[in-house]
Amino acid sequence: MELINLPVRALTPENFAPFGDIIETGLGEVKLINWDITERHHALAKADVIGEEPQVLMNIFRSKPWQLPLTIKMVERHPLGSQAFMPLNGRDYLVVVAEDNNGVPHQPVAFLARGNQGVNYHRNVWHHPLLALDETSDFLVVDRGGAGNNLEEYYFPQQNFTISDREI
Amino acid sequence: MELINLPVRALTPENFAPFGDIIETGLGEVKLINWDITERHHALAKADVIGEEPQVLMNIFRSKPWQLPLTIKMVERHPLGSQAFMPLNGRDYLVVVAEDNNGVPHQPVAFLARGNQGVNYHRNVWHHPLLALDETSDFLVVDRGGAGNNLEEYYFPQQNFTISDREI
């Protein structure tokens, strides 16, 4: 199995646009509300759910950390719904996504997400499962519930990918 | 204007059931996913949106802290959608809600929410705007977008309410 090293990119709206939204202050319209006590950073992401009786669920994912170097063997996608991850402990994490090529993922792309940055994978975007770093970490996850098969997995048959360094 | 002191209660599923959901590990079904690296604390809350072309938005609220003693003069409700608040800085905050009595809020009830506890106000539940404490704090907010009037405010005409102490 060939091993290809993936560089880690900064997570910016420009870099991440093909894959989803970044949930972070400073990126959206700001509305002052509640007697100007609160800034509403408005509509940084939207849930996108389709299929039979779709629901938008709020869950907490508690994940053990991954150790570097790590190996990316697969990606998955959710054809019926977007999936958002918002870190609750302020810790950086890795985001690995891939563009689609006729139902098969391209070579993945890796981003370092800062502890104040959430991501919302658009519906049907290939992504690796959650990659927490350093310590067990909690994330608020906003995704789809309801009937239907909402999971497709793809294991890379000929190459795997490594992330050896989190430096951007 | 008469001033009535509100004691602060612990935020528990039993206490909060008439008003909404608590988003916290330990309260829901747990599924081990991603090669058992991650616990999915499943469906702790659901977005509930109705009306014309409803959307589920993810926003960040950045709020200045309130100082105690504080005065509760009003509550509001959203007839077309639930509204969830998840703290992103791990800081405690206050939750003030009221049961409805034929379109008018009862005397409010106050809860101390811990920094690991989110709340999801059910659709059309009277609540006070966000009450951050101690420092400027960020919250992920999951609520409704779309056409239609989704805000009703009620200013108490004869009494206001004070919270003087956050001790439970």
Side-chain angles (χ1 to χ4, degrees):
Chain A
M1 180 72 73
E2 187 185 7
L3 267 179
I4 297 173
N5 194 61
L6 294 182
V8 172
R9 304 180 184 179
L11 185 65
T12 68
E14 296 72 26
N15 286 343
F16 197 62
F19 310 107
D21 312 298
I22 302 177
I23 303 169
E24 179 184 3
T25 56
L27 297 183
E29 179 191 2
V30 180
K31 305 178 181 192
L32 279 172
I33 60 172
N34 305 346
W35 315 284
D36 295 353
I37 291 168
T38 299
E39 297 172 1
R40 179 184 172 105
H41 296 255
H42 180 66
L44 298 166
K46 292 175 187 172
D48 171 20
V49 295
I50 62 171
E52 194 181 341
E53 296 181 12
Q55 301 175 322
V56 177
L57 307 182
M58 288 166 259
N59 320 272
I60 295 175
F61 282 18
R62 173 164 288 176
S63 188
K64 294 177 195 167
W66 289 63
Q67 308 297 329
L68 298 186
L70 62 82
T71 303
I72 301 294
K73 299 179 178 178
M74 57 82 72
V75 287
E76 64 184 29
R77 62 179 180 177
H78 307 299
L80 302 181
S82 57
Q83 188 176 42
F85 293 80
M86 189 76 210
L88 300 178
N89 305 118
R91 276 194 279 276
D92 295 353
Y93 60 105
L94 290 168
V95 168
V96 172
V97 288
E99 296 206 54
D100 183 71
N101 184 12
N102 292 316
V104 174
H106 267 289
Q107 175 167 321
V109 180
F111 297 96
L112 181 68
R114 297 297 184 184
N116 66 330
Q117 294 181 308
V119 293
N120 184 42
Y121 299 126
H122 288 166
R123 185 166 57 77
N124 222 23
V125 164
W126 293 111
H127 60 275
H128 192 271
L130 182 58
L131 292 166
L133 296 172
D134 297 320
E135 292 183 50
T136 294
S137 300
D138 290 349
F139 295 76
L140 188 72
V141 176
V142 181
D143 64 2
R144 181 191 182 276
N149 180 11
N150 191 25
L151 177 63
E152 184 180 355
E153 294 180 327
Y154 183 90
Y155 280 78
F156 295 102
Q158 294 178 318
Q159 302 98 21
N160 282 173
F161 304 92
T162 58
I163 298 175
S164 55
D165 189 331
R166 70 164 79 176
E167 293 303 308
I168 294 170
Chain B
M1 182 70 75
E2 186 185 8
L3 267 180
I4 297 174
N5 194 61
L6 294 181
V8 172
R9 304 179 185 179
L11 185 65
T12 67
E14 296 73 24
N15 285 343
F16 196 63
F19 310 107
D21 312 298
I22 302 177
I23 302 169
E24 180 185 3
T25 55
L27 298 183
E29 179 191 2
V30 180
K31 304 178 182 193
L32 279 172
I33 60 173
N34 304 346
W35 315 284
D36 295 354
I37 291 168
T38 298
E39 297 171 1
R40 180 184 171 105
H41 296 256
H42 180 67
L44 298 166
K46 292 176 188 172
D48 171 19
V49 295
I50 63 171
E52 193 180 342
E53 296 180 13
Q55 301 176 321
V56 177
L57 306 181
M58 287 165 259
N59 320 273
I60 295 175
F61 281 19
R62 174 163 287 176
S63 188
K64 295 177 195 167
W66 289 63
Q67 308 297 329
L68 299 186
L70 61 82
T71 303
I72 300 294
K73 298 179 178 178
M74 58 82 73
V75 287
E76 64 185 29
R77 61 180 180 177
H78 307 300
L80 301 182
S82 56
Q83 190 176 41
F85 292 83
M86 190 76 211
L88 299 178
N89 305 118
R91 277 194 278 276
D92 296 354
Y93 60 106
L94 290 168
V95 168
V96 172
V97 287
E99 296 205 54
D100 182 71
N101 183 13
N102 293 315
V104 175
H106 268 288
Q107 177 170 319
V109 180
F111 297 96
L112 181 67
R114 298 298 185 182
N116 65 330
Q117 294 182 308
V119 292
N120 183 43
Y121 300 126
H122 288 164
R123 186 166 57 76
N124 222 22
V125 164
W126 294 110
H127 60 274
H128 193 272
L130 182 57
L131 292 165
L133 296 172
D134 298 320
E135 292 183 51
T136 294
S137 300
D138 290 349
F139 295 76
L140 187 73
V141 177
V142 181
D143 63 3
R144 181 191 182 277
N149 180 10
N150 191 25
L151 177 62
E152 185 180 354
E153 294 181 326
Y154 183 90
Y155 281 79
F156 295 101
Q158 294 178 317
Q159 303 100 20
N160 282 174
F161 304 92
T162 58
I163 299 175
S164 54
D165 189 332
R166 69 164 80 176
E167 293 302 308
I168 294 169

